[in-house]
Amino acid sequence: MVAFHYTITDEVGIHARPAGILVQEAKKHPATITLKTAKGSADARKLLAIMSLGVKQGDEVTVEVSGENEEATAQVIEEFFKTNL
Amino acid sequence: MEQYIGKKVFNGVAIGPIKFYSKEQGQIVRKHVDDVNAELARYEEAKAKAVEQLGELYEKAVQEVGEVHAQIFEVHSMLLEDEDYNDSISNMITTQEINAEYAVAMTGDHFAEMFANMEDEYFQARSADIKDISDRVVSILTGKGNSDDLGEEPVIVVAEDLAPSETVKMDKTKLLAFVTKLGSTNSHTAILARTMGIPALIGIEIQKEWDGKFAIVDGKEGILYVDPDETTIMEYRKLKKEEEERNQLYQTLKGKETVTRSGQKVHLYANIGNATDLAMVLMNDAEGIGLFRSEFLYLESRDYPTEEEQFQVYKRVAETMAGKKVIIRTLDIGADKQVDYFDLDQEDNPALGLRAIRICLSRPEVFKTQLRALFRASAFGNIAIMYPMITSLEEVRQIKEISSTIKKELKEAGIPIGEVEEGIMIETPAAAIISDLLAKEVDFFSIGTNDLTQYTLAIDRQNSKLEPFYNAHHEALLRLIRMVAKNAQEAGIWTGICGELGADMELTETFVEMGIAELSVSPGYILPIRKIIRELK
C-alpha cells in the first residue's frame, strides 16, 4: 500500500465537480483508492460517498492506494489533488 | 395589496402576473412486482434516458449561462452513475420485489436527507441536486412530465422550490422573476438566477391562490407585492424603466476603454476579498484587480496557511485574470480583523496597534512564507505586491531587503518568477507627508482612503456618534491625496486609490484632474465610473 497526505486548498472543499472528475480518474486504475479524513473513509470510485465526507478547505485527506501499479497510481492521484483541489 | 419579505438573490424589479409552478408528480405508490429482472431493466432504460436528457440540458445551459454554470448537469449525470445510488435502487427492487419508481424515490430521499444534515452550507445545498436527478428518473418511469410550459405571457414564477434543471428548461423570454419558499442563496438555482440576471427572492411563504394574480418583485429590497395598488405599480414601472436604461448603457461600456475625452487614460480595477469574487470582476469588465485582500486566507484558516496553499490561490487568480494586473496586498490583520492563532495581545487602541506590516516585520517567518508564495505565483500572470500601513522609510527598506532575499533564493533554486511591481499603501498621514521620499523607493502608491481618513481626521468610523464631525471630502484629506499624486509624478511612479473614496462619483473628476492613474473599486462600480470618466473633458 502507498499513501500520501494532502490539505485541501479549494475554497469550497471537495465539491461535486472535482469529486466527479476524481471518480472518473479512479475508475481508470485497477488499484483500490481510498480517501480517509477525520470523519471517515470513502472509495474514490464512489461520488456520493466522497461528497458525504464533506471535506472542506483546510481539511487534511489521507489517500491510500493498494493493488496493481499502486506507486504510479498514487502519483497520478496526488497530481490530481494538487491541480484540482 | 399584500407585502411579503424574502431573502434577496438578485437585484432588479419584475412586474407581471404570477404563475404558480408545481411538480405534478403525484404520490408515488409502492407496488409489488413479479418480474424483478424486467423491473431492473426498466430502471436501466429510464436512467439511460435521463442521462441523455441531461446531455441536452447541458448543451442548452452552455448556450444560456456558460460552461462553468452548465457543469452542474454533468455532475448530475455522474451522480446518476454513482455506485451506491444504483446499488441501493437495484437492491430495493431485487430484495423487496418493488417497482422502480418507489425504489428511486426512496433512494433519492435517503441521500437527499444525508446531504441536508451535513454541517457545511455547500453540501446541504447538494440535497436539491439529488432530489432533482431522482425526480427526473421517476418522471421518465411514470411517463408524467413537469409543467414546464410557462404560457404565452411573461410571468413571475412562484414555486415551493426550483431545481437547477427546471430553471434552465424555462423559456427565458417568458420568465420575469422567481419567488420560492425553499432553497438557499447558495443553491445552484440562485447562482443561475444571478448569472442570467433574473430578479429572485427566496424564503417567502407562497400561496397556491396567487396563481394568475398581478405582482411586483423588488429584488433590491427583498419585497414581493401581491395585488399591488395603482400607485405602487406606477412607481415600480418608473424604477424598472430607469433600471433598464441604466443597464443597457452600462452593457455598451463593456470592452470600452476608460479614457477621458481629452485622452487621459485611467485604469479601472476591482477590489476583491476572495477568489470567489473573480466571476464578478470578469462580469463587470474590470481591467485588473487593484486590491486583493489576502487576509481571507488567514481569517478562514485554523492555522497559518502554508506557502503551497497560498501559492495555489494566487496562481489561480493570476491565471484567471490572464495577463491583467493583479495587485495583492500582503497580510493586513490586527485592528478590527483578529485571527486566534496569531495569538496577539489585547490592545487598548488596536487601530494604532500591532497590525498589518508591523506584524509582518515582527514575524518575518510569516511574511516570508507569503512573499515566497506571491513571487512563485508571479510566473503565472501579472502580479504586483503592495505593503499596507507604511509610516517610515526604514520600514520600506526593511521590506525591500526581505523581498530581494526571497527573489534571490527562488532564482538560485531555479524557480521561475515574473516581473513584479512592488508598491506601498499610503494610508497614514506620515506616509502621505513623506511620500516624496517613499516614491524613490517603490514602483507605485495605492492610497487607502478608509484608514487615511480615520487617521487624518482622528475619527473612528465605527462610532456612529461621531457622524456629525465626519466629512468624507475634508480639505485636509484631499490636500494629502493631491500631494501624494504630485510627489509620485515627480518621481516617475504611478498612484492609485483603492479605498471607498475611489468609488465616490462626486470625486472622480477631481481624482482624474490630480493625475490619479488607477481607481480600484467594488466590481459593481466599474461600469458606472467608466461612464463618468468617458464623459470628462
Side-chain angles (χ1 to χ4, degrees), chain B residues 31-45:
Chain B
K31 284 185 208 150
H32 175 82
V33 292
D34 294 322
D35 191 345
V36 167
N37 285 329
E39 201 60 18
L40 284 173
R42 249 188 95 222
Y43 167 66
E44 287 300 329
E45 204 180 309

Side-chain angles (χ1 to χ4, degrees), chain A residues 8 18 24-25 33 49 51 59 68-69 74 82 85:
Chain A
I8 305 297
Q24 287 178 336
E25 183 61 43
I33 305 164
M51 287 172 68
D59 286 357
E68 198 179 313
N69 232 345
K82 283 182 182 160
L85 291 161

Side-chain angles (χ1 to χ4, degrees), chain B residues 348-390:
Chain B
D348 286 341
N349 211 339
L352 305 181
L354 188 63
R355 54 171 292 201
I357 203 70
R358 298 170 181 179
I359 295 179
C360 290
L361 292 175
S362 347
R363 302 217 183 143
E365 68 293 347
V366 175
F367 191 38
K368 282 179 184 163
T369 304
Q370 180 168 35
L371 287 180
R372 275 183 65 93
L374 284 167
F375 281 114
R376 278 175 60 199
S378 70
F380 298 88
N382 186 359
I383 285 182
I385 303 176
M386 72 177 171
Y387 305 102
M389 270 300 280
I390 300 295

Side-chain angles (χ1 to χ4, degrees), chain A residues 7 9-12 14-17 20 24 45-49 51-52 54-57 59 82, chain B residues 71 74-75 78-79 82-85 114-115 118 120 122-123 126 130 275-276 300 302 309 312 316:
Chain A
T7 306
T9 58
D10 190 286
E11 67 259 27
V12 268
I14 304 190
H15 55 114
R17 170 95 185 148
Q24 287 178 336
R45 286 186 186 78
K46 296 181 173 181
L47 181 56
L48 284 164
M51 287 172 68
S52 73
V55 181
K56 289 193 270 192
Q57 184 180 39
D59 286 357
K82 283 182 182 160
Chain B
Q71 284 172 359
E74 262 190 330
V75 171
M78 291 176 192
L79 288 172
D82 181 69
E83 244 182 87
D84 290 330
Y85 183 80
M114 176 187 88
F115 280 108
M118 285 173 74
D120 187 84
Y122 169 81
F123 289 105
R126 302 290 71 76
I130 303 286
T276 49
E300 290 176 3
R302 274 163 287 178
E309 280 165 6
Q312 291 295 345
R316 174 149 28 122

